[in-house]
Amino acid sequence: MAQKIDGKEVSLFIKDKIKNETEKLKNKTGSVPGLAVILVGNDSASHVYVRNKKLACEYCGFYSESYELPESTSQQQLLKLIDTLNKNNNIDGILVQMPLPAHIDADTVINAILPEKDVDAFNPSNVGRIMLGEYSFLPCTPAGVMELLKYYNIDVSGKECVVIGRSNIVGKPMAMLLLHENATVTVCHSRTRELADVTRRADILVCAVGHPMFVTADMVKDGAVVIDVGINRKPDGKLCGDVDFESVEKKASFITPVPGGVGPMTISMLMQNTLTSYKLKVKRSQNNGI
Ligand code: NDP
């Protein structure tokens, strides 16, 4: 039976470290990191995510601003708000909650955020840095997965890692972070042939597909580490991941539950990025003699 990886515990551990560091920095500088979160429209899941990000800011001792804008907000209005926040010295991170309404182009919006305030690490310049392995901002969800592996002393080096999913937010940066830690990485997607043959090779299997019960026990090697990134809603309204937890936990050595696995980690990594952004700002102003 697999050991359950407790994302809530690890997330709290990280947030406590951030909180302590923030307190120390506040004593030195008199200021704290600031995060602005923008939500456009009425997506109920997005409202929950934004509320959780606000709560995490409060926990860590950050300053936060949240903007809940109506569905009818124009792209121009949103860009104007981003421009104001780009110029606001109290704001170190700007996060625009995805998905955006169809009339707003997400790429244009992401590109409008200054790279040094892009705490989601979605801006092409930050994405490029992740590829090079020379980054300040962590890709939040994949970095959260790496922290879970580290906390549970699961060594990645030399391991066969299979990532199912190749999105820009999860699958691709996940593969990069595993590669930077010397894993042998295979990325699967909807055109992958004989998927189960590939996944059964995995010492570490990361699933980011978005289909409930997608990964079944026959797709998993005995003793594999199974990380479930998926967040899906069942017909009864309850959350579930991409993995058939009940059958897979009997075969795996470690497994993340949904909820309570990768989800809480994404938010702690966002807090980590906001703190990093703040520290870089303080360093820049010290270098400029301000
Ligand atoms: P996307 O829809 O952008 O990507 C899904 C990926 O799964 C695609 O690459 C797609 O392949 C692949 N896929 C779909 N069907 C199959 C199939 N039959 N076989 C193999 N691969 C398949 O989703 P995201 O990456 O944004 O998110 C994935 C899941 O993770 C979602 O449930 C999302 O809610 C969750 N999520 C959780 C987060 C957290 O904090 N825990 C954060 C972000 C996302 P192709 O490219 O060929 O279409």
Side-chain angles (χ1 to χ4, degrees):
M1 195 68 107
Q3 182 177 345
K4 223 189 267 182
I5 292 181
D6 187 344
K8 280 192 198 156
E9 179 185 313
V10 186
S11 167
L12 196 60
F13 171 76
I14 291 169
K15 281 191 292 185
D16 279 336
K17 278 207 296 195
I18 295 171
K19 187 180 170 177
N20 287 339
E21 196 174 348
T22 300
E23 239 168 63
K24 281 188 195 143
L25 286 166
K26 190 180 173 184
N27 289 337
K28 262 201 223 162
T29 63
S31 62
V32 294
L35 177 69
V37 182
I38 307 172
L39 171 62
V40 187
N42 301 315
D43 184 69
S44 57
S46 293
H47 274 280
V48 175
Y49 294 144
V50 167
R51 196 179 62 227
N52 288 341
K53 285 165 189 171
K54 231 164 102 179
L55 288 173
C57 279
E58 277 170 29
Y59 187 87
C60 294
F62 290 3
Y63 168 71
S64 76
E65 290 182 5
S66 66
Y67 297 85
E68 304 199 359
L69 308 176
E71 181 90 17
S72 58
T73 305
S74 70
Q75 180 164 309
Q76 204 53 35
Q77 286 168 318
L78 180 57
L79 292 176
K80 202 170 163 213
L81 172 60
I82 292 172
D83 184 50
T84 308
L85 294 168
N86 277 338
K87 291 173 182 150
N88 183 341
N89 200 41
N90 294 323
I91 296 297
D92 301 292
I94 303 170
L95 182 146
V96 179
Q97 186 65 48
M98 299 292 160
L100 285 166
H103 65 276
I104 299 179
D105 180 54
D107 286 343
T108 306
V109 170
I110 289 167
N111 284 325
I113 299 170
L114 277 179
E116 57 265 38
K117 296 195 180 193
D118 168 42
V119 284
D120 251 339
F122 289 169
N123 186 297
S125 63
N126 286 324
V127 173
R129 290 191 184 109
I130 291 162
M131 178 93 177
L132 297 172
E134 295 163 2
Y135 47 90
S136 311
F137 295 144
L138 307 157
C140 294
T141 302
V145 171
M146 298 307 286
E147 286 293 328
L148 289 176
L149 296 173
K150 200 166 110 189
Y151 190 88
Y152 282 85
N153 292 317
I154 298 165
D155 190 17
V156 168
S157 180
K159 298 275 174 66
E160 282 275 355
C161 295
V162 174
V163 180
I164 321 179
R166 57 172 165 179
S167 70
N168 291 334
I169 296 174
V170 187
K172 284 182 202 160
M174 185 73 251
M176 274 303 137
L177 297 198
L178 289 165
L179 193 61
H180 292 325
E181 291 298 323
N182 303 314
T184 301
V185 186
T186 306
V187 181
C188 301
H189 45 80
S190 64
R191 310 284 176 89
T192 299
R193 293 191 194 150
E194 310 301 340
L195 179 67
D197 286 346
V198 182
T199 59
R200 271 194 294 269
R201 291 206 309 259
D203 300 311
I204 299 173
L205 178 61
V206 182
C207 320
V209 176
H211 296 334
M213 311 287 255
F214 184 81
V215 172
T216 45
D218 61 304
M219 295 169 74
V220 175
K221 178 164 93 171
D222 270 325
V225 175
V226 179
I227 306 289
D228 190 352
V229 179
I231 301 180
N232 310 297
R233 215 164 267 284
K234 290 194 274 194
D236 64 5
K238 287 194 179 143
L239 289 183
C240 69
D242 289 347
V243 175
D244 177 13
F245 188 90
E246 266 185 36
S247 68
V248 172
E249 78 165 334
K250 295 189 181 100
K251 250 182 142 177
S253 56
F254 288 90
I255 188 165
T256 58
V258 178
V262 176
M265 296 302 295
T266 300
I267 295 188
S268 341
M269 294 298 106
L270 174 69
M271 297 299 116
Q272 184 69 60
N273 283 346
T274 307
L275 177 62
T276 300
S277 175
Y278 169 81
K279 289 200 293 191
L280 290 170
K281 175 187 74 182
V282 170
K283 206 168 157 191
R284 277 196 304 273
S285 58
Q286 282 167 349
N287 288 344
N288 293 336
I290 298 171

